[in-house]
Amino acid sequence: RLERDRQGRFLLQALLERRPGTPSPPAPGATGAAAVQLHLAEGVFEDGSATIVDATTTPPARLEVTGAQLQIHDLAWPSSRPVRVQLSSPTPGGGRLELAGTVGLDPVRLDLRAALDAVELAPAQPYLPIEALMAGTLSGALAVTVAVDPLAVTVAGDARLEQLRLSDGDRPVVTAAQAEAVGIDIAWPTRVAVDHVRLRRPSLLIERDAEGHFALPRLLTPRWPLAAPAPARAAPAKPPAVEIRTITLERGSGRFVDHTTTPRYAEQLSRLDVTVSGLSMAPDHRVRVSGSGVLGGGARLTVEGAGTAGGRPVLELTVSLREFPLPRANPYLDRFTGWTATRGALTASASYTLLGSRLDARHDIVVRGLEVVRSGATDQVEQRLGLPLGFLVSLLQDARGEIRLSLPVSGDLGTREFDFREAVWGAVRNLAIRLLALPFSRIGSLFFTEDSKVEAVVLAPVIFTPGTAAPAPGMEQHLARVADFLRRTPSVRVRLGPIFTQADLDALEPGRAGAALPPEALRELGLRR
């Protein structure tokens, strides 16, 4: 029975300590009558058991092992050479551990080969510094060397996790059918290297509560105990260099649920394949990532990128999405615009370049067949741009029912003044003004407020020869331009309203000297015009 209290003191250690006043044991290598020597050529311990109780963890750990077999060869005291050991034992919760190698006693050093077969991870939960509950089985073959003073650990080999599950209570948030690490090469505390990490059928649940907090960081952030203050002149410990040559995710899936919207927004990502190569903490080391998946049941998502870490990080990333059904995004459209989509599909590609804290982004967007309706009392598009979204959609759609936009966004992420969402709104406003200004400059006028919102869209009137339905000189060209504009924006509807002037009245009845004109005459002229 190995029992440790909250202070880390072993009960067995306390029982075996020499009491004050008793003779000291002879030093190793001492000679004379008082010297004691021990040599065990072979020791076999069968059907052994162990109970481990550790109060230093929260909650306290309790592990039970039964049916262990231990063989010891060439145990000597004073120690002159390493002891050969061989251990075969079931592990707590299930699985089996096989150890074979040597144990040095002076100095303490372990050189072992370990074979793990479906070792359950759940019993080790008290020793994991995360809130998430872990389950799964670990198998593998590892060569392990441990030196105590100074501490140095080397691990080499392969390992495999089966049915990995990280849960928030009873709800799984991260799962994988298999997680495999090939070519493990650890030299702690200086280096951690793995040749290839492969995740088969991983799944991830990302959920945000109504206050905007994500559960995943809370569950996976390590809760290391507070370290004692370091001496004033002590140099900070250098973190180990981490390098993983290749990481692959095969047939992954993910689900995003956002409770900040009404109704809540939920989206599924499936058939996700991702490859990350050259992952390293070394400065100026280039990491590449590529991936593809299916979003929302049919939209194709692809990601390509590369970056380097260091004092001035560099990131180049391109993301593309094809034929995403816009009504699926209605919770966000309602929240950020006050409108929802009844139909329409989005195809977009975005490129992001980050140099230090400087971000330059470009978004090329094609929206096909979009139809929108007001969903709330507040039209945020009209508040920001001056025109309702429905009218903008009508103006921007071409003869094929497509809207093509290019939105550049730039700024310094290191400044408090930069807000990505506001930068996007600013780009949309500038683009809308630019797209509207050219066609309306030929057929009418745009009027703006002092804060650059569109206040009014006015078509130039069609002027007629007084008292007739014949357009005045130059009006045929104006009508042709209006017709051309309407052909290019088939969703726009124009309502015609006749306006009569005193010149019309005088032309219709020149001899009445200001007397009232019969309503039928004006109505007939208006219809003919």
Side-chain angles (χ1 to χ4, degrees), residues 49-365:
S49 63
T51 299
I52 302 172
V53 181
D54 194 346
T56 63
T57 65
T58 303
R62 184 182 181 91
L63 306 175
E64 299 280 354
V65 175
T66 59
Q69 308 290 326
L70 175 64
Q71 296 183 28
I72 299 177
H73 302 271
D74 295 330
L75 173 62
W77 182 262
S79 176
S80 58
R81 58 180 177 270
V83 180
R84 289 188 294 120
V85 297
Q86 187 171 348
L87 173 67
S88 177
S89 172
T91 53
R96 193 163 191 85
L97 171 65
E98 305 280 345
L99 289 176
T102 62
V103 177
L105 301 179
D106 188 18
V108 176
R109 178 183 173 88
L110 284 71
D111 288 282
L112 301 171
R113 289 192 171 275
L116 301 93
D117 183 15
V119 174
E120 288 285 347
L121 299 177
Q125 182 68 42
Y127 293 97
L128 299 177
I130 58 175
E131 186 176 334
L133 302 179
M134 178 179 285
T137 61
L138 175 64
S139 301
L142 300 169
V144 181
T145 300
V146 179
V148 175
D149 191 17
L151 178 64
V153 180
T154 64
V155 180
D158 304 329
R160 184 178 68 256
L161 285 171
E162 303 278 356
Q163 302 303 320
L164 174 65
R165 185 175 72 253
L166 297 174
S167 305
D168 183 7
D170 295 331
R171 182 181 58 170
V173 293
V174 179
T175 65
Q178 187 181 86
E180 184 180 20
V182 178
I184 299 172
D185 185 7
I186 300 175
W188 189 266
T190 59
R191 182 170 62 91
V192 176
V194 181
D195 186 64
H196 190 188
V197 174
R198 179 185 293 111
L199 298 173
R200 293 188 175 95
R201 297 197 302 278
S203 68
L204 178 66
L205 172 64
I206 301 177
E207 190 165 8
R208 184 162 68 163
D209 62 23
E211 287 72 38
H213 300 140
F214 287 94
L216 203 58
R218 169 180 58 83
L219 294 171
L220 299 183
T221 300
R223 301 169 298 174
W224 302 111
L226 295 177
R233 295 185 178 180
K238 185 178 180 180
V242 178
E243 180 178 351
I244 303 177
R245 184 175 298 176
T246 308
I247 302 176
T248 58
L249 279 69
E250 301 175 357
R251 291 302 180 190
S253 62
R255 182 169 177 81
F256 175 66
V257 182
D258 192 349
H259 295 273
T260 64
T261 63
T262 303
R264 71 176 188 176
Y265 177 76
E267 194 55 270
Q268 186 76 24
L269 178 64
S270 60
R271 288 187 278 172
L272 179 65
D273 295 310
V274 178
T275 299
V276 181
S277 59
L279 183 62
S280 174
M281 296 178 59
D284 302 326
H285 189 89
R286 194 165 182 81
V287 181
R288 297 184 181 277
V289 59
S290 63
S292 63
V294 176
L295 185 66
R300 187 69 176 175
L301 174 69
T302 60
V303 179
E304 296 281 345
T308 59
R312 183 175 171 81
V314 177
L315 174 65
E316 297 172 347
L317 183 67
T318 60
V319 182
S320 67
L321 181 65
R322 295 184 61 83
E323 297 300 324
F324 177 76
L326 280 171
R328 297 182 70 97
N330 274 340
Y332 286 120
L333 289 175
D334 181 26
R335 176 179 175 182
F336 293 114
T337 69
W339 293 72
T340 56
T342 57
R343 63 185 297 267
L346 169 72
T347 294
S349 62
S351 62
Y352 302 92
T353 300
L354 181 66
L355 297 176
S357 61
R358 174 71 184 183
L359 173 67
D360 291 295
R362 179 184 176 88
H363 309 83
D364 294 312
I365 301 170

